[in-house]
Amino acid sequence: MLNENLKRIRKSKGLSQEELAVKLNVVRQTVSKWERGLSVPDSEMLISVSEVLETPVSVLLGDTVENSESNDLKSIAEKLEVINLQLANQKRTRRIILHWMFIMIGVLIVLIFVMICVAGSPYLNWDYSDPETAVVGVAMHAFEFLFVRIAPLAFIAAIVGAAVTRNRD
C-alpha cells in the first residue's frame, strides 16, 4: 500500500523519481524500490518523504483517519514493521518457488537423459532415403547432440541453484 500511495502522490505533485530522490538526498533507484514495493523507507526517511510531498505520514501508509495521533513514531514504526514482514514473506515465497524450480529442472534433465540412454538412438537405423524421415532423424540427432553437451552444465547449475535457495531457517 505504501508503494502505491507514494507513487500516486509523487505523480500528483508532478515530481519524477529523480526529483524526489534529489530532495530526499537518496539515489533514484531507492525511490524506485520503494514504489515497486521491494523495500520501505525507515521511519525518519518516511517523515522526510511526507514533508517533501506535503502529505501526512498516515496518508502515505494508507490511513484515511484524520487523527493527529497516527503521525507519532510508534504508529509509523508498527506500520513499517507490518510492511517489512510482508516483504520478507514475499521474498521467502519467491525463494521457495525458485528452489523447487531448480529441483524440477534437475529431475527433468535426469529423466530426459535416462530416456535418451534407454532409447539408444533408434533413428540411426532408419532409412534416410525418405526426406521426411531424414529431417526427423537429423532433428532428433541434433537434439541429442546438444542435450548431451549442455545437460551436464544445466544439471550442475540446477544443483547449485537448489543449494543456494534452500531453506536456511
Side-chain angles (χ1 to χ4, degrees):
M1 174 129 350
L2 171 67
N3 57 335
E4 296 164 357
N5 291 337
L6 180 61
K7 186 175 186 176
R8 181 179 45 78
I9 294 168
R10 175 186 59 78
K11 285 184 175 183
S12 72
K13 300 287 182 178
L15 293 173
S16 67
Q17 286 182 345
E18 183 71 35
E19 292 168 334
L20 180 59
V22 167
K23 290 183 178 194
L24 295 171
N25 294 321
V26 296
V27 294
R28 184 202 55 78
Q29 288 83 355
T30 301
V31 175
S32 174
K33 282 184 179 182
W34 294 341
E35 290 184 357
R36 289 184 293 148
L38 299 177
S39 67
V40 293
D42 62 20
S43 57
E44 291 176 17
M45 183 57 71
L46 191 58
I47 292 170
S48 298
V49 170
S50 74
E51 290 171 354
V52 167
L53 295 177
E54 299 171 346
T55 305
V57 172
S58 59
V59 173
L60 285 173
L61 293 174
D63 253 357
T64 55
V65 178
E66 297 177 15
N67 189 352
S68 62
E69 293 178 15
S70 63
N71 278 337
D72 71 343
L73 286 178
K74 184 177 180 184
S75 174
I76 294 170
E78 289 171 355
K79 290 180 182 186
L80 286 175
E81 183 178 353
V82 168
I83 293 170
N84 277 327
L85 286 173
Q86 290 172 344
L87 288 173
N89 286 337
Q90 288 175 353
K91 185 176 180 182
R92 188 177 309 114
T93 302
R94 274 188 247 128
R95 183 183 43 76
I96 290 169
I97 290 170
L98 274 174
H99 178 74
W100 285 105
M101 282 178 51
F102 283 126
I103 289 174
M104 294 307 295
I105 289 170
V107 168
L108 183 65
I109 289 170
V110 169
L111 288 175
I112 292 172
F113 191 76
V114 166
M115 287 187 339
I116 288 174
C117 288
V118 168
S121 305
Y123 58 86
L124 294 177
N125 298 325
W126 290 355
D127 177 19
Y128 282 90
S129 60
D130 179 27
E132 290 178 6
T133 304
V135 169
V136 172
V138 169
M140 289 178 68
H141 182 69
F143 171 77
E144 185 178 288
F145 178 82
L146 290 173
F147 182 81
V148 169
R149 280 148 184 80
I150 295 173
L153 299 175
F155 186 70
I156 291 170
I159 290 172
V160 169
V164 168
T165 59
R166 76 181 188 284
N167 191 0
R168 294 178 219 116
D169 297 336

